[in-house]
Amino acid sequence: MKERKVGTVSRGIRCPIIREGDNLAKIVSESVLEAAESDGFQMNDRDVIGITESIVARSQGNYATIDDIAADVKDKFGENTVGVIFPILSRNRFAICLKGIAKGAKKVVIQLSYPSDEVGNELVPLDLIEKAGVNPYSDVLTEEQFRKLFGVIKHPFTGMDYIQYYGDVVREAGKDVKIIFGNHPQDILKYTDCVLSCDIHTRFHTRKVLKENGAKIVYGLDEILTSSICGSGYNENYGLLGSNKATEDKVKLFPHDCKAMLLEIQNNILKATGKHVEVMVYGDGAFKDPQGKIWELADPIVSPSHTDGLIGTPNELKLKYLADNDFANLNGEELKQAISEKIKSKESNLVGQMASEGTTPRQLTDLLGSLMDLTSGSGDKGTPVILVQGYFDNYTS
């Protein structure tokens, strides 16, 4: 038998532009099969088809307007000043949400974390903080104090002064706004006891601290639009988290109820090829940009839905550990055979074993989602579907 020389392959699959109401299961299945025919590759068992959350939500028509957001905020907070705590610095992710929040609130107090937001967007360089003698672990600054110490600082990638920008968003909604800077949730309680927690991955801790310190009304961004408002879109698990700007007054929400569609795609491929593939929806990957220091996970989760074969984490041996330790005295074909036999006889759970040290203990969907996100990109590639082949192979395959 001829030895395979190629391992994992990630392919971007071109698709038509998706619109609300489109049969996405049919489009994805046909696009993958047409790509295989045109590019001359075969489908295999355990190939993984990934679909970006954006086209899933678009096909579902999962949108909401600033008026929908405002209605839910007003219903939950009533005639109170709303503390908006720890939002990320993003025109795409948060600005439209803030428009709706401001429209539904009596007044707004925004608390920004510093020197950066939760996903690494820098508000002020750390060296300027140290030079000013400010302690971000304890010091709470008003907007006036911040400006006096640091002046106007624009985001290195977007060129935005987010302090001015977020303030203007609220003012344009006709509401008063105060902006403070602090890293403890309870700092906001000096201004209002009604708080909307806008952080993503630390949201449960933030809400716990607020309640323990006497907050009267506490909700998270994941609790806004968990059900439809006058026919709007919604997400029962994540609310506004994972949403993106669609237009100047509308957001596209994170998709919901995807499993039936994924199973339909899985069945379509099985009928057409006889191969059992796995299917998942993916959003942001989970990786950090070393240059911009931005953590690429503004979605609440990498994969909101996937077929059951993608549950779990890798169970892999570290080849270089085996080569340098267990089989340090072997070379060539003898070394290859020894490592192959070790892989074939590995235990089903390698947690804690030195031979697996340094392998990635992340969920399969997080690893695959990162690969898919990097393959599809966020611009004009036109490949919102990704086919990953050979991911579950190993050195012996």
Side-chain angles (χ1 to χ4, degrees):
M1 181 184 293
K2 188 176 180 181
E3 183 180 5
R4 274 178 55 189
K5 293 295 184 180
V6 177
T8 301
V9 175
S10 181
R11 287 185 171 90
I13 306 297
R14 289 187 174 167
C15 297
I17 302 299
I18 304 300
R19 293 297 188 192
E20 181 177 349
D22 284 350
N23 185 336
L24 195 57
K26 182 174 184 291
I27 291 171
V28 170
S29 303
E30 290 177 351
S31 296
V32 171
L33 293 171
E34 287 168 3
E37 183 178 357
S38 84
D39 221 40
F41 61 84
Q42 300 292 319
M43 299 295 294
N44 305 303
D45 287 324
R46 299 211 79 189
D47 285 353
V48 185
I49 297 172
I51 310 154
T52 183
E53 59 83 21
S54 176
I55 64 169
V56 180
R58 194 182 306 144
S59 70
Q60 293 175 340
N62 202 23
Y63 294 89
T65 67
I66 59 174
D67 288 336
D68 298 325
I69 297 169
D72 205 9
V73 168
K74 189 172 181 61
D75 179 64
K76 288 180 167 65
F77 288 94
E79 292 295 324
N80 288 293
T81 297
V82 177
V84 174
I85 186 170
F86 300 154
I88 65 171
L89 306 178
S90 172
R91 294 168 294 175
N92 178 46
R93 289 287 188 171
F94 188 70
I96 306 298
C97 295
L98 183 58
K99 284 185 180 182
I101 294 164
K103 191 169 184 177
K106 181 182 178 181
K107 297 180 180 178
V108 175
V109 180
I110 301 174
Q111 181 177 331
L112 298 175
S113 58
Y114 74 102
S116 64
D117 69 8
E118 180 187 5
V119 296
N121 288 296
E122 192 173 71
L123 192 64
V124 55
L126 188 58
D127 58 349
L128 290 185
I129 288 178
E130 292 174 342
K131 185 178 179 180
V134 173
N135 184 350
Y137 297 102
S138 61
D139 294 345
V140 182
L141 305 175
T142 64
E143 184 175 356
E144 293 75 18
Q145 290 170 326
F146 186 95
R147 293 297 197 191
K148 186 175 180 180
L149 287 167
F150 308 118
V152 173
I153 298 178
K154 296 185 177 182
H155 191 282
F157 288 172
T158 67
M160 295 296 297
D161 173 0
Y162 280 97
I163 301 167
Q164 181 70 41
Y165 179 53
Y166 280 0
D168 286 345
V169 167
V170 178
R171 286 185 284 268
E172 287 167 7
K175 305 298 172 68
D176 291 337
V177 61
K178 182 182 288 291
I179 299 177
I180 65 170
F181 305 83
N183 291 313
H184 298 291
Q186 60 267 35
D187 295 336
I188 196 79
L189 299 178
K190 297 174 185 176
Y191 301 88
T192 179
D193 58 4
C194 301
V195 186
L196 179 61
S197 166
C198 297
D199 44 345
I200 307 162
H201 310 294
T202 55
R203 62 189 185 275
F204 299 111
H205 173 73
T206 296
R207 297 205 288 262
K208 174 175 175 286
V209 171
L210 287 166
K211 291 173 182 177
E212 289 175 348
N213 283 271
K216 183 174 70 175
I217 301 175
V218 179
Y219 286 99
L221 212 57
D222 59 334
E223 296 174 301
I224 306 297
L225 289 184
T226 54
S227 59
S228 180
I229 304 293
C230 299
S232 74
Y234 66 95
N235 188 295
E236 65 273 26
N237 295 316
Y238 302 112
L240 279 176
L241 286 185
S243 64
N244 287 271
K245 176 180 178 179
T247 68
E248 292 302 322
D249 65 352
K250 185 185 292 185
V251 293
K252 176 192 61 60
L253 301 170
F254 217 39
H256 59 86
D257 300 325
C258 308
K259 192 65 175 283
M261 178 197 67
L262 302 185
L263 292 173
E264 185 178 347
I265 293 169
Q266 188 178 58
N267 190 52
N268 289 346
I269 300 299
L270 182 63
K271 285 181 177 179
T273 68
K275 304 300 181 181
H276 181 90
V277 301
E278 304 296 343
V279 194
M280 62 181 277
V281 178
Y282 70 95
D284 276 349
F287 48 86
K288 186 172 183 177
D289 171 16
Q291 182 67 32
K293 307 179 184 69
I294 297 170
W295 181 251
E296 181 68 16
L297 189 52
D299 288 327
I301 192 171
V302 172
S303 176
S305 188
H306 49 81
T307 51
D308 292 347
L310 297 178
I311 296 171
T313 58
N315 189 57
E316 300 173 345
L317 293 168
K318 197 79 168 177
L319 291 190
K320 64 181 182 182
Y321 179 88
L322 296 176
D324 291 343
N325 290 272
D326 294 35
F327 308 119
N329 60 327
L330 302 180
N331 289 291
E333 189 62 29
E334 192 177 10
L335 174 60
K336 179 180 177 181
Q337 289 300 319
I339 288 179
S340 296
E341 289 304 316
K342 188 77 171 181
I343 292 171
K344 289 176 182 177
S345 63
K346 69 182 177 183
E347 297 176 22
S348 60
N349 188 345
L350 297 168
V351 173
Q353 295 193 26
M354 287 300 294
S356 68
E357 184 180 19
T359 58
T360 311
R362 291 167 58 192
Q363 294 183 97
L364 291 168
T365 50
D366 292 347
L367 292 162
L368 283 160
S370 295
L371 174 60
M372 291 169 176
D373 189 21
L374 287 167
T375 304
S376 60
S378 58
D380 57 7
K381 287 186 171 62
T383 55
V385 172
I386 303 298
L387 175 66
V388 177
Q389 298 189 292
Y391 188 81
F392 293 101
D393 292 353
N394 61 39
Y395 187 62
T396 68
S397 299

